[in-house]
Amino acid sequence: MRFRRTFRHATLLSLVTALAVPPAPAQLVSNLPDLGDSSQAELSPAMERRAGEQVMREIRFRERSYVDDPELENYLNAVGARLVIAAGASPQDFTFFALRDSTINAFAMPGGLIGVHTGLLLTTQTESELASVLGHEIGHIQQRHIARMLAQQGNTSILVVASLIAAILAARSNSNVPVALASAGQAAAIQQQLSFSRDAEMEADRVGFNILQAGGFDVQGMPSFFERMQRANRFNEGNAPNYLRTHPLTSDRIADTAARAHDARHRQVTDTPEFALLRAKLDAERGNSSDALVRFQSQGGTSLSEQAARWYGLTRVHIRDRQFDEAATSLAKLRELRYPSYMVETLNADLLRAQGKHAEAARVCHDARTRWPAQSALMYCETQAWLAANEPQKALDATGGRILPDSQDYRRYALQAQAYEAMGKPALQHRAQAELYVLQGALPAAIDQLQMAQKGGSGDFYEQSIIDARLRELRGRLREDMERNRR
């Protein structure tokens, strides 16, 4: 799901390239929060978090490879939260997201950000393998490896932090980028930061292993994934998976995790239903549809999850090709399995919407919300379908009917703005759009929207009071930001 963007967006890769030109770092610094004095010896957790929040906005609203899929996003954060809680931390301090990239990679960044390539999701064969990678990345963050490396340099200036984050993003699938960055003055030390030391990797393995075990996953997932990466490296000499370039894999690491898994109590773990369906969804979107169709038609497997993934994938490919009769047949086969996932309902809604049956799709998602009330993807599904059916009031009701203050749900704000626009309520439309811009870090644009809401008027004193108060607050925040940047 992609919402309309008002601003011209540049990719983070172009931001990184600009670091090689002298004026660019100052421009980058002006767009990032004030992280403190450059002479500070340590990069504090609070500084990391503030940098991470800004970078997450850049990824979510400007990085073209960001996978704007609420089903995948919810899944990654659900698995991540399970691991983070097992680690004794707060899920609110971590954000998990996916980037559409066929390479096998995952990476951690300051501020609790953990990125996962779609190639990694397609490569892992069990949920525990995926969790082992996430647990390893959580280990890097919990042990503050990036912050410690920066502190060893004695330089935690905002320029170094910004350069490091940008370089990690760019280098995730282009091993030549760090070489270019190394010539950029203050970014000269970035190259060595992109690959963790062997000690740091071993430490992250051990922390990640304990997190994996405490989270109730199969600890064999870690050595099995490492062994697969080692085989891939052996058969692809000179073209190793990106995961191995940024996470040096040694025989000692493999042996250590295998020994720990051997000594641990064996636990039979069943994957959650969404693991199989999300991998099928990504596979159905990969490459051309004819190749995807062959992949799913040739799939074997007799387990419930394997059969469900096959019929789910075939349905997705048929919808992609607008072969609706074939899609309906595959969906019927999937329903016969009684697979316990809300994604079967969103798939049904997607087929109905592709056929122009928007109201029917909305009702499918509405009914599913009673069974899976915590799945926000069903709310987006119902709202979008009502909007397409030209039923803006029903769409607004599906979102909860109110513009919630201080929400981080940018999708809800965007949908509410569309509903209010269709209902001819400009003040509320501009207010919802303003909250979306706040989350994008575009305070001037948010202020413009609230000023338009003021001028448009709604005849509602209570609503106008909310708009006036929010406008004063945002103007104050903008002044504070400008003063910080002048220092």
Side-chain angles (χ1 to χ4, degrees):
M1 178 170 51
R2 286 275 178 198
F3 296 121
R4 291 175 296 174
R5 311 298 196 214
T6 299
F7 300 105
R8 183 180 178 183
H9 294 154
T11 64
L12 281 168
L13 182 58
S14 65
L15 187 65
V16 176
T17 305
L19 286 173
V21 182
Q27 183 181 2
L28 177 61
V29 170
S30 68
N31 293 327
L32 288 171
D34 177 19
L35 299 185
D37 194 299
S38 63
S39 63
Q40 192 165 332
E42 294 183 2
L43 181 63
S44 71
M47 291 163 62
E48 283 189 63
R49 190 65 195 167
R50 287 172 65 188
E53 288 172 355
Q54 175 68 16
V55 170
M56 195 63 232
R57 282 197 291 269
E58 293 288 328
I59 293 170
R60 184 169 283 143
F61 298 112
R62 295 172 176 83
E63 171 59 37
R64 293 180 182 177
S65 66
Y66 171 68
V67 183
D68 193 357
D69 183 328
E71 292 180 334
L72 181 55
E73 180 181 285
N74 290 350
Y75 171 76
L76 287 175
N77 281 278
V79 175
R82 180 175 163 186
L83 292 165
V84 169
I85 291 170
S90 170
Q92 283 71 37
D93 293 334
F94 286 79
T95 300
F96 299 82
F97 61 94
L99 297 178
R100 199 171 299 281
D101 192 312
S102 61
T103 59
I104 304 169
N105 207 3
F107 54 92
M109 294 188 292
L113 305 184
I114 295 178
V116 178
H117 284 195
T118 52
L120 174 70
L121 288 160
L122 288 168
T123 300
T124 52
Q125 295 182 356
T126 66
E127 191 167 58
S128 291
E129 286 191 0
L130 174 62
S132 75
V133 177
L134 299 181
H136 177 94
E137 300 303 332
I138 292 170
H140 278 307
I141 291 173
Q142 278 210 319
Q143 300 309 111
R144 306 197 67 234
H145 288 151
I146 295 175
R148 281 157 53 183
M149 287 189 289
L150 289 173
Q152 288 172 4
Q153 293 181 7
N155 191 343
T156 56
S157 70
I158 188 169
L159 175 59
V160 171
V161 176
S163 299
L164 174 62
I165 292 173
I168 290 172
L169 283 169
R172 60 186 169 80
S173 58
N174 186 349
S175 59
N176 293 322
V177 170
V179 177
L181 285 171
S183 64
Q186 297 232 21
I190 298 301
Q191 171 74 42
Q192 69 184 65
Q193 305 295 350
L194 293 174
S195 298
F196 289 110
S197 68
R198 290 187 178 186
D199 289 343
E201 287 297 294
M202 291 283 283
E203 187 174 42
D205 285 346
R206 289 168 184 170
V207 171
F209 184 91
N210 292 336
I211 292 172
L212 192 68
Q213 189 171 34
F217 291 96
D218 180 3
V219 293
Q220 290 290 342
M222 183 172 281
S224 68
F225 176 75
F226 284 171
E227 288 166 5
R228 188 173 305 110
M229 290 298 94
Q230 188 183 49
R231 288 196 297 272
N233 188 34
R234 183 181 303 127
F235 295 121
N236 295 277
E237 293 182 10
N239 189 29
N242 281 42
Y243 190 82
L244 300 185
R245 295 174 185 160
T246 55
H247 301 73
L249 187 60
T250 64
S251 56
D252 288 344
R253 285 182 64 199
I254 297 174
D256 183 63
T257 55
R260 288 172 180 272
H262 180 269
D263 293 340
R265 182 171 61 87
H266 178 69
R267 176 182 288 158
Q268 187 70 33
V269 178
T270 302
D271 296 340
T272 57
E274 284 69 44
F275 177 73
L277 297 192
L278 281 166
R279 293 176 73 249
K281 184 177 185 179
L282 292 171
D283 199 16
E285 296 169 349
R286 180 166 60 99
N288 62 64
S289 59
S290 58
D291 289 343
L293 187 63
V294 170
R295 286 197 300 271
F296 285 109
Q297 287 175 335
S298 61
Q299 279 183 9
T302 57
S303 70
L304 178 62
S305 62
E306 288 172 327
Q307 293 181 64
R310 180 173 184 268
W311 291 118
Y312 182 96
L314 283 170
T315 307
R316 280 273 172 216
V317 175
H318 289 315
I319 293 174
R320 182 178 172 184
D321 285 340
R322 303 190 65 79
Q323 297 174 335
F324 299 137
D325 289 342
E326 291 85 347
T329 300
S330 297
L331 179 60
K333 293 289 187 181
L334 175 59
R335 285 202 174 281
E336 287 175 8
L337 299 175
R338 298 184 181 277
Y339 198 64
S341 174
Y342 76 96
M343 288 182 63
V344 176
E345 304 307 321
T346 55
L347 178 66
N348 185 14
D350 285 346
L351 173 56
L352 291 169
R353 289 191 61 195
Q355 295 172 293
K357 303 174 182 178
H358 301 295
E360 191 174 343
R363 285 189 283 270
V364 166
C365 293
H366 177 81
D367 293 344
R369 291 177 71 179
T370 62
R371 295 180 59 193
W372 294 280
Q375 294 296 342
S376 59
L378 290 169
M379 182 269 284
Y380 306 135
C381 167
E382 181 185 354
T383 306
Q384 287 180 305
W386 283 130
L387 285 171
N390 198 26
E391 294 278 5
Q393 182 61 60
K394 290 181 179 179
L396 184 63
D397 292 343
T399 70
R402 292 191 305 115
I403 301 174
L404 300 176
D406 301 321
S407 170
Q408 296 300 305
D409 192 344
Y410 67 94
R411 296 185 180 96
R412 186 194 299 263
Y413 286 140
L415 290 168
Q416 287 178 327
Q418 292 177 48
Y420 282 125
E421 181 181 18
M423 294 167 67
K425 296 186 176 182
L428 290 167
Q429 174 202 343
H430 292 310
R431 184 181 158 207
Q433 191 68 40
E435 296 304 330
L436 176 59
Y437 285 146
V438 170
L439 292 183
Q440 291 181 355
L443 289 183
I447 290 170
D448 287 344
Q449 288 292 317
L450 291 176
Q451 288 173 334
M452 284 189 276
Q454 272 186 331
K455 293 174 183 176
S458 66
D460 185 331
F461 175 78
Y462 175 72
E463 184 62 38
Q464 285 298 314
S465 298
I466 293 175
I467 292 169
D468 294 344
R470 185 59 163 158
L471 186 56
R472 286 193 297 271
E473 179 188 351
L474 295 186
R475 282 171 172 164
R477 284 172 56 177
L478 183 60
R479 281 194 299 270
E480 290 174 4
D481 289 349
M482 293 174 67
E483 289 171 4
R484 263 200 305 265
N485 289 333
R486 280 197 294 266
R487 293 194 200 111

